[in-house]
Structures are given as C-alpha cells and as structure tokens.
Amino acid sequence: NAGVMQNPRHLVRRRGQEARLRCSPMKGHSHVYWYRQLPEEGLKFMVYLQKENIIDESGMPKERFSAEFPKEGPSILRIQQVVRGDSAAYFCASSPGTSGRETQYFGPGTRLLVL
Amino acid sequence: GENVEQHPSTLSVQEGDSAVIKCTYSDSASNYFPWYKQELGKGPQLIIDIRSNVGEKKDQRIAVTLNKTAKHFSLHITETQPEDSAVYFCAVITGGGNKLTFGTGTQLKVEL
C-alpha cells in the first residue's frame, strides 16, 4: 500500500512565477491536509480538504495561495506570484476520514526554493 | 488558538541511555496527541500517539505519557540507538477539529 505521494520533490521558481504542488493521498483516504515548514521551524497548518470541499483554510495566507482536491486526481496547492518568503518545505498528509482525531500520515514533502 | 510548547530544543544522549521530551498545551479540549520523527530531508513519520482517555501507551522502546490535569505529555525513548537521531515533534488536535498544532521540535542526537 503506497504512502502519501508528493511531487515534485524539489521545485525552483523565480519571483513572480507560479508554483503548483501535488499530493496523492494514501489509498482509501479521502481527507487531505497541507502544512508548511519554514527553515528551522515546526510545521504550520495551512488547509484541510475533503473531495471537492475545503473544510478549514484558517492557516492559508489570504492572497496568492489556493488549494483544491478534485473528484478525480491529486490535491493541488497553488502559489501565485511567488516571493522569497514562500521558500519552505510543503507537506501533505492524509487520513481515512471516518471519524475525528484521526492519525495523519505525511508525504515526503515538496521543497520550494524561490530565487 | 492552541499553543504547544516543546522542551528541550536539543538533546544529546549516549547510546543506550534514555531520552525524554516534554510538551505542554494550552487548550483543555485537546484530545489527540501524536509524536512524529523527522529525519533530514524527509517527511514526518508517526511513531506513537495517545488519545485523551488513556494515560500511557507503550510500543517497544517508545512510550508516551499524558497528564490531562497538568496539560502536558511526554515522549520516552529507552535504550537509545544512533538511528534514533532525528528531530522529534509533538502535536495536538483540539476538540472536534482535524488540524494538528505542532511543537517547535527537539533535535535528538544519540552519540556512540
């Protein structure tokens, strides 16, 4: 049973470009979470999605950031007009979605570098 | 919102010794407490978790204890090995929510 998959593993963008990060949850998992880890810091919650629905986006910056989890295909975290402060590791996690307080399993992350 | 403090930030032990990492949280409604291990360049890996109706849980060399009254929980690693060297994060989920609030991490180094 494959774990959470993320791609790309590394992404380099210049200021002003767009970054698209993809996450495929574990088989059978219908809940996806995105977290950001700045250098030398812990992980910070960004957004929680179920299929075709955003459940909690309280951790998402108000501008330039968006997320989706379509009926078919992976979840996408999109960052428009990237700035150097967006450089970080972005982790996706998934859970089965059958009840609350569920174990979240993390992917290997996408390391975004903005030049 | 929830606030999670984690201590120490770095911990160095000799191989075979025990290591203890502590976390405190602020919201008494918190009810799920996982611990993750993160190796360099990798994603967090769940190593053990505990729910609020249990005071202690053990899995081989790893144990977690929870004190709901004092609002703190601890990770205990016995008989440490070099491969235990990594950054360890505690986290909590509060109430009926699903988002994890993480501590700031502990860099554990197990020396030969």
Side-chain angles (χ1 to χ4, degrees):
Chain A
N1 185 15
V4 178
M5 300 177 68
Q6 291 187 248
N7 66 81
R9 295 291 305 278
H10 300 274
L11 182 62
V12 179
R13 286 287 179 265
R14 296 190 180 281
R15 283 178 296 169
Q17 292 184 318
E18 179 180 289
R20 292 172 69 88
L21 288 62
R22 288 176 290 277
C23 169
S24 295
M26 287 179 70
K27 186 177 181 180
H29 286 192
S30 59
H31 292 203
V32 165
Y33 314 80
W34 286 93
Y35 294 84
R36 177 165 65 175
Q37 185 175 36
L38 295 171
E40 306 297 326
E41 293 188 11
L43 291 87
K44 304 289 187 186
F45 169 80
M46 299 181 73
V47 62
Y48 162 38
L49 310 101
Q50 297 176 21
K51 285 284 188 181
E52 301 184 276
N53 286 302
I54 296 174
I55 307 302
D56 182 352
E57 57 182 347
S58 59
M60 286 277 273
K62 294 292 186 286
E63 299 178 347
R64 302 187 297 108
F65 285 72
S66 62
E68 63 177 6
F69 189 15
K71 186 176 181 181
E72 301 290 340
S75 175
I76 305 289
L77 179 67
R78 182 185 180 201
I79 311 172
Q80 295 177 291
Q81 300 173 345
V82 296
V83 301
R84 288 200 175 133
D86 296 333
S87 296
Y90 292 82
F91 292 97
C92 168
S94 73
S95 67
T98 56
S99 66
R101 299 176 292 141
E102 296 175 325
T103 298
Q104 295 181 22
Y105 297 91
F106 282 79
T110 293
R111 281 144 186 88
L112 172 65
L113 175 62
V114 180
L115 301 177
Chain B
E2 175 68 274
N3 182 47
V4 179
E5 295 189 358
Q6 183 172 345
H7 299 280
S9 57
T10 60
L11 179 59
S12 184
V13 299
Q14 295 293 315
E15 183 181 10
D17 287 350
S18 295
V20 180
I21 303 170
K22 298 181 179 179
C23 286
T24 60
Y25 58 97
S26 58
D27 194 332
S28 57
S30 296
N31 50 26
Y32 176 61
F33 310 89
W35 284 90
Y36 287 89
K37 175 184 180 181
Q38 187 177 27
E39 296 175 317
L40 193 62
K42 297 185 177 180
Q45 177 189 7
L46 179 75
I47 55 172
I48 196 167
D49 59 8
I50 193 169
R51 287 178 165 78
S52 58
N53 58 343
V54 176
E56 183 174 357
K57 183 176 179 181
K58 188 173 182 180
D59 182 4
Q60 298 183 338
R61 297 187 297 110
I62 296 173
V64 55
T65 57
L66 171 64
N67 184 328
K68 288 209 70 181
T69 302
K71 290 190 281 188
H72 67 70
F73 58 112
S74 299
L75 176 70
H76 304 254
I77 306 174
T78 59
E79 301 173 26
T80 53
Q81 302 167 3
E83 51 264 40
D84 294 329
S85 296
V87 179
Y88 291 81
F89 291 98
C90 63
V92 305
I93 285 182
T94 297
N98 291 70
K99 66 181 181 185
L100 289 165
T101 300
F102 282 86
T104 47
T106 297
Q107 174 75 64
L108 173 65
K109 183 176 181 181
V110 180
E111 299 177 329
L112 295 171

